[in-house]
């Protein structure tokens, strides 16, 4: 019976589909503004000087160069070419079809394990004491410490015209 | 004027009570340098009479300050939050790191039951609503001490929310009125700690130790109901006491077990909230108060001079007494929160909905935890006031000084002296001495038994109170002598023979006829002089009140 209901909804007119595509991201509602770490109390503050998260792709599905740069910085992936961005846009459009389902009043499913409850481990020590093994993967160590550069090395700023370093 | 008992008993660096001069005031003008001890922001919550600065500038406006705190407390447990590595301060680098903590592929988080219990206890102690179902999320950001590239936290649906914490402040002209205020708790969540970075600027590198990575943290988010550094310091101190009483955390700021970040902004009354700055790296309650007060003043003067406040993160340089911008962390952070896919929801039960036949190890009963909560600091203070008749301020001092309450209770066990006298001696003479010598209660040369013995001698009127102070001074030298021994060695016992004392008074009066004449003439100071003379004649072994009584009787016709 459930399957029949779903099928009925999918046959909804295309116009309704478009409407859903430009609806606000439902996850944003759950987490509030993700830009400031979700601390809702800051919502009323005056807007900060730094740039806010670039806008999500609008209807039509074009992803702005600004958003690409933002994603590259956050996820450390390299969208090396225009084809890659086009593929991204197609993937987003494909996923947007999820909006066709009416989810009003339905809690988002965060995990297929949502009917189970997490296993609770007793507070005993049973791991650790393997510094040598843990440090094995690191090419460069100093007196049993991992070595890292002095701070995060920021990605070089890319020009607005051509967001790709190589194409 | 502060009551003497509190001036001496005021623990340095620990904020038992807060002095506010008739409400929160601010001082206009540029910051004059490192010291901002007396500046405050006006409270936006309390209705207090406004006091303007002495020389108002042209176009001066009143300012309201808003301070919000985020407190991270390391949970006191044997193992980490999601792995079985040991939790221990100061161990060889990377020796307490499991494969999961190093975020090697193929490892999964396994939740520690003790950490959940600690979170529930804290939520109950702070009057929160405990969420029977809470969820874990991932908060992504890149930093060398976060090997996974994300921190597992509870942003969406934390374990506890909407609580409150009461604290007391002294107000009024004579700082004698204690006002109880409340700060709202937004939420309490479980999260992972990150590793430790040691910056080696010389060789331009950072050394990373992951011993701390994965240790369970309780993040307590407070609503921005506070208005100044002193209020923040009081709240943090109270939270520290609660966590320590529960055993949920040792909450030692110096060892990094309790970390506080402050969000500060200022605005004019009636206008929207201003841009906030975040101040981090505060490792003592005193610095917390100083940093907040400095930042408030800096923001006010910056705005009054036409500048603007940047939404940035600052740290507190305690040597200079000012906040400085931290290295810019790539502008605004986008944490890309997502549900933690490896952890199902955390479900808690109470007695009414306990599933039948469930494994007790797998089930946490909120009611059972509530019933086994230990006595909270506020209850202890009320009990002290009720049982010993002391003032509320005294109870605050007793709890705020580490080990003092236990010392006091041990003295009470072994002495028959009145509680009020014991309180006075412990808070004034004993604590005053410790403060002067910069000692902790645990380092005291005087044991509870020794003090109890001294107070017993005083109570039985074997010695006078001035002699008792003298004996106390001797006890502090810790030469191994008991109070009784010191009294007999230095012949400090009060004269018990009344007749002998009367003879002594008579003799003294005969030797000083002029003074006697003055007394008869109605000079009130003459009698004190005579008492002094008698005391000296008795080698300070006579009780001045008895002398006075004898003299007065002799002189009345």
């Amino acid at each position: 019976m459930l399957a029949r209901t779903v099928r009925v909804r999918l046959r909804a007119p295309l116009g309704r589909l478009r409407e859903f595509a430009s609806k606000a991201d439902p996850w944003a509602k759950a987490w509030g503004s993700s830009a400031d770490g979700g601390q809702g109390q800051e919502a009323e503050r005056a807007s900060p000087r730094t740039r806010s998260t670039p806008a999500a792709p609008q209807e039509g599905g074009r992803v702005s160069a600004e958003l690409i740069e933002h994603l590259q910085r956050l996820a450390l992936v390299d969208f090396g070419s225009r084809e890659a961005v086009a593929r991204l846009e197609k993937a987003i459009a494909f996923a947007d079809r999820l909006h066709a389902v009416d989810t009003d009043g339905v809690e988002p499913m965060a995990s297929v394990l949502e009917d189970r409850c997490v296993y609770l481990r007793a507070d005993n020590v049973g791991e650790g004491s393997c510094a040598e093994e843990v440090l094995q993967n690191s090419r460069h160590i100093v007196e049993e410490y991992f070595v890292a550069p002095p701070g995060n090395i920021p990605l070089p700023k890319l020009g607005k015209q051509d967001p790709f370093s190589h194409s | 004027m502060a009551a003497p008992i509190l001036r001496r008993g005021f623990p340095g660096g620990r904020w038992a009570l807060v002095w506010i001069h008739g409400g929160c005031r601010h001082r206009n003008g540029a910051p004059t340098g490192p010291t901002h001890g007396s500046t405050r922001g006006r409270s936006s919550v309390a209705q207090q009479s406004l006091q303007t600065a002495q020389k108002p500038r042209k176009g001066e406006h009143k300012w309201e300050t808003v301070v919000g705190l985020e407190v991270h407390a390391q949970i006191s447990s044997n193992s980490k939050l999601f792995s079985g590595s040991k939790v221990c301060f100061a161990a060889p680098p990377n020796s307490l790191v499991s494969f999961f903590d190093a975020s090697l592929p193929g490892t999964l988080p396994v939740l520690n039951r003790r950490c959940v219990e600690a979170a529930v206890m804290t939520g109950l102690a702070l009057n929160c609503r405990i969420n029977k179902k809470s969820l874990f999320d991932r908060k992504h950001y890149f930093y060398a001490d976060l090997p996974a590239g994300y921190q597992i936290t509870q942003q969406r649906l934390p374990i506890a929310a909407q609580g409150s914490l009461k604290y007391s402040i002294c107000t009024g002209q004579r700082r004698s009125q204690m006002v109880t205020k409340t700060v709202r708790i937004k939420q309490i969540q479980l999260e992972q700690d990150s590793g430790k970075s040691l910056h080696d600027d010389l060789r331009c590198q950072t050394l990373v130790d992951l011993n701390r990575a994965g240790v369970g943290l309780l993040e307590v988010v407070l609503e921005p109901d506070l208005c100044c550094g002193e209020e923040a310091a009081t709240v943090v101190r109270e939270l520290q006491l609660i966590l320590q009483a529960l055993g949920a955390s040792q909450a030692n700021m110096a060892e990094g077990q309790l970390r506080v970040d402050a969000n500060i902004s200022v605005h004019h009354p009636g206008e929207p909230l201003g841009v906030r700055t975040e101040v981090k790296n505060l490792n003592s309650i005193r610095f917390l108060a100083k940093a907040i007060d400095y930042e408030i003043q800096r923001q006010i003067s910056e705005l009054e001079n036409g500048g603007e406040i940047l939404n940035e993160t600052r740290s507190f340089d305690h040597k200079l007494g000012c906040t400085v911008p931290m290295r810019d962390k790539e502008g605004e952070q986008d944490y890309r929160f997502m549900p933690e896919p490896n952890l199902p929801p955390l479900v808690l039960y109470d007695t009414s909905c306990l599933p039948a036949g469930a494994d007790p190890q797998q089930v946490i009963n909120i009611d059972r935890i509530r019933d086994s909560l230990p006595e909270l600091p506020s209850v202890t203070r009320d009990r002290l006031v009720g049982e010993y008749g002391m003032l509320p301020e005294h109870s605050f001092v007793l709890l705020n000084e580490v080990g003092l309450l236990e010392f006091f209770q041990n003295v009470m066990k072994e002495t028959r002296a009145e509680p009020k006298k014991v309180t006075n001696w412990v808070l004034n003479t004993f604590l005053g001495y410790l403060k002067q010598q910069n000692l902790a209660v645990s380092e005291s040369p005087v044991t509870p038994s020794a003090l109890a013995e001294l107070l017993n001698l005083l109570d039985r009127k074997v010695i006078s109170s001035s002699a008792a102070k003298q004996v106390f001074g001797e006890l502090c030298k810790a030469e191994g002598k008991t109070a009784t021994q010191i009294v007999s060695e230095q012949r400090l016992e009060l004269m018990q023979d009344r007749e002998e004392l009367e003879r002594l008074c008579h003799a003294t009066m005969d030797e000083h006829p002029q003074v006697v004449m003055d007394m008869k003439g109605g000079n009130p100071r003459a009698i004190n002089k005579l008492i002094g003379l008698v005391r000296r004649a008795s080698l300070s072994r006579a009780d001045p009140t008895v002398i006075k009584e004898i003299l007065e009787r002799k002189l009345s016709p």
Side-chain angles (χ1 to χ4, degrees):
Chain A
M1 206 203 82
L2 189 67
R4 210 188 316 139
T5 322
V6 166
R7 233 177 284 136
V8 163
R9 290 219 174 99
L10 276 179
R11 272 199 228 110
L14 220 57
R16 222 164 147 224
L17 187 79
R18 289 247 167 84
E19 183 196 356
F20 283 140
S22 56
K23 210 188 208 171
D25 181 5
W27 289 119
K29 221 186 338 163
W31 268 301
S33 158
S34 63
D36 57 350
Q39 305 296 334
Q41 69 203 65
E42 312 307 331
E44 316 99 344
R45 297 272 196 265
S47 59
R49 135 202 92 120
T50 48
R51 63 180 146 80
S52 48
T53 316
Q58 289 305 306
E59 201 193 306
R62 295 308 305 275
V63 178
S64 68
E66 202 193 340
L67 181 58
I68 291 289
E69 194 189 321
H70 186 68
L71 288 173
Q72 288 188 145
R73 195 175 292 272
L74 284 181
L76 293 184
V77 293
D78 186 6
F79 289 96
S81 61
R82 293 208 183 280
E83 281 86 23
V85 179
R87 202 169 302 137
L88 175 68
E89 288 166 353
K90 284 210 187 79
I92 294 173
F94 178 79
D96 271 343
R97 283 163 55 192
L98 284 172
H99 290 309
V101 181
D102 181 9
T103 54
D104 282 341
V106 179
E107 282 296 302
M109 174 192 261
S111 158
V112 289
L113 303 169
E114 67 176 12
D115 287 336
R116 300 226 209 144
C117 87
V118 69
Y119 175 79
L120 296 171
R121 171 178 61 89
D123 186 25
N124 298 320
V125 175
E127 294 177 283
S129 301
C130 52
E132 209 179 297
E133 277 177 286
V134 160
L135 291 165
Q136 226 172 35
N137 276 337
S138 183
R139 196 177 353 151
H140 186 28
I141 59 171
V142 168
E143 281 178 40
E144 309 209 306
Y145 286 95
F146 292 100
V147 182
N152 282 357
I153 300 170
L155 283 178
K157 276 234 179 277
L158 304 166
K160 281 207 170 149
Q161 249 59 37
D162 180 7
F164 313 113
S165 53
H166 58 272
S167 235
Chain B
M1 279 289 278
I5 195 168
L6 276 157
R7 208 186 297 128
R8 265 200 263 151
F10 193 88
R14 306 275 177 101
W15 296 77
L17 303 161
V18 173
W19 304 127
I20 297 195
H21 307 268
C24 286
R25 251 180 287 166
H26 69 100
R27 188 158 29 115
N28 279 333
T32 51
T35 53
H36 291 89
S38 62
T39 57
R40 317 270 178 267
R42 191 176 87 98
S43 165
S44 53
V45 178
Q47 261 83 53
Q48 284 151 341
S49 60
L50 270 178
Q51 302 236 356
T52 56
Q54 276 134 359
K55 288 192 192 133
R57 283 232 213 104
K58 242 191 282 186
E60 171 204 300
H61 296 288
K62 313 285 183 290
W63 288 99
E64 279 189 13
T65 60
V66 182
V67 176
L69 297 177
E70 280 166 22
V71 181
H72 291 84
Q74 231 177 47
I75 299 177
S76 170
S77 60
N78 296 329
S79 58
K80 295 185 181 177
L81 182 59
F82 291 118
S83 71
S85 314
K86 189 169 180 192
V87 174
C88 177
F89 183 69
N94 291 308
S95 62
L96 308 174
V97 180
S98 70
F99 293 169
F100 172 77
D101 303 326
S103 141
L104 298 182
T107 55
L108 292 172
V110 189
L111 184 57
N112 181 341
R113 187 197 160 90
R114 156 78 189 148
C115 293
V116 180
E117 288 172 347
V120 173
M121 279 198 286
T122 310
L124 290 172
L126 295 175
N127 306 308
C128 294
R129 175 193 76 234
I130 306 289
N131 288 327
K132 294 231 180 80
K133 177 168 157 183
S134 56
L135 305 168
F136 289 98
D137 305 310
R138 288 186 183 179
K139 177 175 172 179
H140 299 81
Y141 64 93
F142 289 113
Y143 209 62
D145 59 21
L146 197 70
Y150 60 85
Q151 175 196 36
I152 301 180
T153 172
Q154 288 187 304
Q155 212 277 321
R156 264 177 307 159
L157 197 52
I159 191 167
Q162 327 254 261
S164 63
L165 174 60
K166 288 207 181 76
Y167 59 105
S168 286
I169 293 185
C170 281
T171 53
Q173 281 296 88
R174 293 162 67 235
R175 296 182 202 155
S176 53
Q177 291 169 283
M178 298 236 332
V179 173
T180 309
K181 296 180 95 171
T182 307
V183 59
R184 291 169 297 160
I185 311 265
K186 180 160 183 248
Q187 61 190 52
I188 297 177
Q189 57 200 48
L190 282 166
E191 57 183 38
Q192 288 177 305
D193 205 349
S194 65
K196 240 196 196 130
S197 299
L198 302 170
H199 298 287
D200 182 359
D201 294 322
L202 212 63
R203 287 180 207 82
C204 208
Q205 63 189 11
T206 297
L207 302 178
V208 177
D209 173 15
L210 295 178
N211 281 349
R212 202 184 67 179
V215 172
L217 287 181
L218 279 176
E219 175 167 352
V220 182
V221 183
L222 302 163
E223 298 280 14
D225 293 342
L226 306 170
C227 76
C228 60
E230 288 177 314
E231 281 195 355
T234 313
V235 165
V236 171
R237 181 68 184 125
E238 187 67 14
L239 195 55
Q240 217 178 20
L241 288 172
I242 291 176
L243 288 169
Q244 287 166 347
L246 292 172
S249 167
Q250 288 170 299
N252 183 338
M253 270 185 103
E255 285 185 9
Q257 288 160 342
L258 189 72
R259 285 164 244 158
V260 184
D261 301 331
N263 293 302
I264 301 149
S265 77
V266 300
H267 64 278
H268 293 302
E271 287 183 20
L273 298 169
V275 176
R276 66 177 170 94
T277 61
E278 188 180 5
V279 182
K280 291 172 99 87
N281 283 357
L282 300 159
N283 53 16
S284 85
I285 296 189
R286 228 176 77 233
F287 293 157
L288 169 72
K290 275 197 179 153
I292 289 176
D293 288 337
Y294 175 87
E295 182 61 19
I296 288 172
Q297 196 53 40
R298 182 194 77 89
Q299 289 195 8
I300 288 177
S301 59
E302 182 76 31
L303 290 173
E304 282 185 344
N305 291 335
E308 61 164 14
I309 306 294
L310 304 170
N311 177 6
E312 59 181 350
T313 307
R314 299 174 76 91
S315 73
F316 182 64
D317 184 334
H318 57 93
K319 294 196 194 79
L320 297 174
C322 60
T323 60
V324 293
M326 276 174 95
R327 204 167 25 189
D328 190 5
K329 288 190 187 159
E330 306 137 44
E332 189 92 347
Q333 283 280 17
D334 182 350
Y335 292 117
R336 293 181 295 148
F337 283 97
M338 71 174 245
E340 169 57 59
N342 294 325
L343 290 170
L346 172 61
V347 178
L348 304 170
Y349 303 93
D350 56 31
T351 322
S352 61
C353 62
L354 215 52
D359 179 4
Q361 167 65 15
Q362 288 306 310
V363 155
I364 290 187
N365 185 343
I366 301 172
D367 289 333
R368 172 103 55 98
I369 294 181
R370 186 185 289 115
D371 292 337
S372 64
L373 282 181
E375 189 178 72
L376 293 178
S378 53
V379 175
T380 310
R381 282 191 286 256
D382 290 340
R383 186 169 56 79
L384 288 172
V385 170
E387 219 172 288
Y388 301 119
M390 63 175 76
L391 293 174
E393 298 97 273
H394 303 172
S395 67
F396 271 93
V397 180
L398 271 180
L399 254 70
N400 270 16
E401 194 64 33
V402 178
L404 191 59
L405 177 62
E406 200 185 326
F407 187 94
F408 171 81
Q409 282 169 327
N410 287 339
V411 173
M412 283 301 303
K413 265 190 242 176
E414 296 186 37
T415 184
R416 285 178 311 153
E418 265 191 20
K420 290 210 169 141
K421 241 202 167 63
V422 181
T423 309
N424 188 10
W425 268 82
V426 170
L427 291 182
N428 278 337
T429 320
F430 176 68
L431 192 60
Y433 171 76
L434 288 183
K435 287 297 151 197
Q436 198 192 45
Q437 302 293 319
N438 202 14
L439 293 170
V441 174
S442 53
E443 299 165 329
S444 157
V446 180
T447 63
S449 317
L451 186 58
E453 193 189 333
L454 174 58
L455 292 174
N456 279 340
L457 291 173
L458 187 59
D459 185 53
R460 282 174 12 226
K461 296 209 190 313
V462 172
I463 50 174
S464 67
S465 68
S466 52
K469 295 252 165 69
Q470 205 178 323
V471 176
F472 181 77
E474 289 294 314
L475 283 175
C476 290
K477 290 186 194 161
E479 287 165 359
K481 301 190 198 136
T482 66
T484 322
Q485 284 173 327
I486 298 172
V487 165
S488 67
E489 272 178 29
Q490 301 197 8
R491 311 214 11 218
L492 294 168
E493 310 94 328
L494 285 176
M495 288 173 76
Q496 302 296 342
D497 190 347
R498 177 97 179 195
E499 278 184 16
E500 162 136 22
L501 189 55
E502 293 209 8
R503 264 182 272 130
L504 199 62
C505 288
H506 203 88
T508 315
M509 280 168 71
D510 289 339
E511 283 169 30
H512 299 92
Q514 187 55 42
V515 187
V516 179
M517 290 284 290
D518 288 340
M519 257 174 64
K520 289 196 173 147
N523 182 355
R525 288 209 282 161
I527 191 166
N528 289 337
K529 185 158 181 201
L530 207 54
I531 294 174
L533 288 167
V534 174
R535 279 191 70 198
R536 223 172 327 142
S538 75
L539 302 168
S540 288
R541 293 180 55 208
D543 190 351
T545 35
V546 180
I547 300 175
K548 186 168 183 193
E549 185 214 340
I550 295 175
L551 290 173
E552 280 174 344
R553 212 168 24 86
K554 280 198 182 302
L555 290 169
S556 55

